[in-house]
Amino acid sequence: MALTAQVKDELARLKVEKTSCRKAEVAATLRFAGGLHIISGRIVIEAELDTAIAANRLRTTIADVYGHTSELITVSGGGLRRGARYVVRVVKDGESLARQTGLLDSRGRPVRGLPPQIVSAGVAEAEAAWRGAFLAHGSLTEPGRSSALEVTCPGPEAALALVGAARRLGITAKAREVRGVDRVVIRDGEAISSLLVRLGATDVVGVWEERRQRREVRGTANRLANFDDANLRRSARAAVAAGARVERAFEILGEDLPDHLRQAGELRLAHKQASLEELGQLAVPPLTKDAVAGRIRRLLATADKRAKELGIADTEAGLSSDLLDL
């Protein structure tokens, strides 16, 4: 089961006793999953959900809290929508429920954001509103570079209201419009975990955190492996470049060269892929990495100085541009 389906399944089974929280959840679910329609001069409320258990939860809460009956219509998937959809419809008492839930204001006008009683309520009601919004149009992607908890909103006012509810929970969410659709997005892994706990999806949080940590460990291992590979390639290319320069230095200087510099140069030519530390261990007597580097550096500097005096090509003359950049 995908993470989104797991979250919705767990949230739809969560028992909520506080009446104000049940009202906030219903209002948010209706606001984010559907809308008000006028059919034959009568206001009808419809909410379209993607899981049967969430639809049944909405119907049960509407009946328990408001005393209104509703019907459930199953719409088979087709086209872009593969899965079935579940439409909860309130026809007989649609206008009454719309006023009770705050979807209509005192003058009978549709509320564009969340109802005022939710916006001004406490933390528990803010959690319930987020729970209803997620059940209506929420999604949770797998942990990774583009992981996110996201809710599709019916308009910018509803998106801003949901951002404000998240702020009351101490969580930073962002509202944005993508291809004409308003969304509220949370990308920070810690914030996603915190919100899931507050909504009541405690089982899914364990799965999310396990996958997130596994992804982070794998990513760190890959970065270290890539870093080591890059360093090895760079070291090998640098050794090849140094060997070519030493070979040219011997041609320039001939026999006019101190023994200790010659020894370092001969080690470099004999072991072109070896590191400076390995060359030091091969020297007789053994030398430190810095000592080997210093002797090779002096050898090349001496040869370059002599080449300049003679007006001939120096030790870098035969190197390609990518080796010169090392």
Side-chain angles (χ1 to χ4, degrees):
M1 186 185 297
L3 283 176
T4 297
Q6 290 183 53
V7 174
K8 291 186 177 182
D9 184 75
E10 187 172 359
L11 294 183
R13 299 177 190 277
L14 183 69
K15 290 185 178 181
V16 179
E17 302 294 339
K18 192 175 180 181
T19 301
S20 62
C21 292
R22 300 185 75 185
K23 288 182 176 180
E25 183 182 314
V26 167
T29 303
L30 294 177
R31 184 71 185 93
F32 283 79
L36 306 177
H37 307 281
I38 298 179
I39 302 177
S40 300
R42 175 185 295 177
I43 292 178
V44 175
I45 293 180
E46 286 187 348
E48 185 177 298
L49 301 162
D50 55 7
T51 62
I53 190 171
N56 287 322
R57 177 186 179 88
L58 178 60
R59 295 186 69 205
T60 299
T61 308
I62 289 174
D64 291 348
V65 176
Y66 297 104
H68 301 308
T69 58
S70 60
E71 56 182 304
L72 178 63
I73 303 170
T74 302
V75 181
S76 300
L80 296 177
R81 293 185 174 181
R82 296 181 180 179
R85 310 289 292 179
Y86 304 89
V87 178
V88 176
R89 179 181 292 171
V90 180
V91 178
K92 181 181 177 182
D93 303 305
E95 182 173 354
S96 176
L97 179 61
R99 292 183 181 275
Q100 289 173 310
T101 55
L103 297 181
L104 290 177
D105 63 17
S106 58
R107 297 183 180 181
R109 297 173 301 187
V111 173
R112 300 182 66 85
L114 284 174
Q117 61 265 34
I118 296 179
V119 174
S120 60
V123 171
E125 288 74 16
E127 293 172 351
W130 256 96
R131 186 162 51 248
F134 192 92
L135 285 170
H137 262 301
S139 65
L140 176 64
T141 56
E142 290 282 342
R145 183 176 301 175
S146 59
S147 62
L149 187 150
E150 184 175 294
V151 175
T152 303
C153 305
E157 297 86 357
L160 291 175
L162 201 59
V163 169
R167 191 180 302 117
R168 293 208 301 279
L169 302 178
I171 295 170
T172 300
K174 293 184 179 180
R176 62 175 186 167
E177 182 181 327
V178 181
R179 292 187 291 274
V181 178
D182 292 285
R183 305 175 189 273
V184 172
V185 183
I186 301 173
R187 294 200 177 278
D188 179 73
E190 295 295 334
I192 291 174
S193 294
S194 177
L195 181 61
L196 289 174
V197 170
R198 283 184 168 277
L199 299 188
T202 53
D203 291 343
V204 179
V205 169
V207 176
W208 161 266
E209 284 294 342
E210 180 184 353
R211 294 183 185 179
R212 185 163 75 99
Q213 291 173 9
R214 189 186 309 149
R215 182 66 180 253
E216 289 178 355
V217 169
R218 188 183 302 121
T220 300
N222 289 338
R223 284 193 299 273
L224 290 175
N226 292 336
F227 179 77
D228 288 343
D229 287 345
N231 277 345
L232 288 173
R233 289 193 298 270
R234 190 178 296 110
S235 297
R237 290 169 62 199
V240 170
R245 292 190 66 190
V246 167
E247 193 170 355
R248 175 58 182 164
F250 281 172
E251 293 176 1
I252 296 171
L253 296 174
E255 298 299 325
D256 188 14
L257 187 64
D259 289 341
H260 66 290
L261 299 185
R262 182 178 296 278
Q263 180 192 24
E266 289 174 346
L267 283 172
R268 177 78 284 171
L269 291 178
H271 308 281
K272 291 186 177 181
Q273 300 297 328
S275 66
L276 291 173
E277 185 174 358
E278 291 170 337
L279 291 182
Q281 294 172 357
L282 293 170
V284 180
L287 299 171
T288 65
K289 172 183 175 181
D290 291 338
V292 175
R295 292 185 181 187
I296 292 177
R297 190 163 50 247
R298 287 195 297 275
L299 168 62
L300 298 178
T302 302
D304 286 338
K305 182 178 179 181
R306 177 67 59 82
K308 186 176 181 180
E309 293 172 352
L310 298 175
I312 60 177
D314 61 12
T315 59
E316 294 182 348
L319 298 182
S320 59
S321 58
D322 58 332
L323 291 178
L324 286 172
D325 291 336
L326 292 173

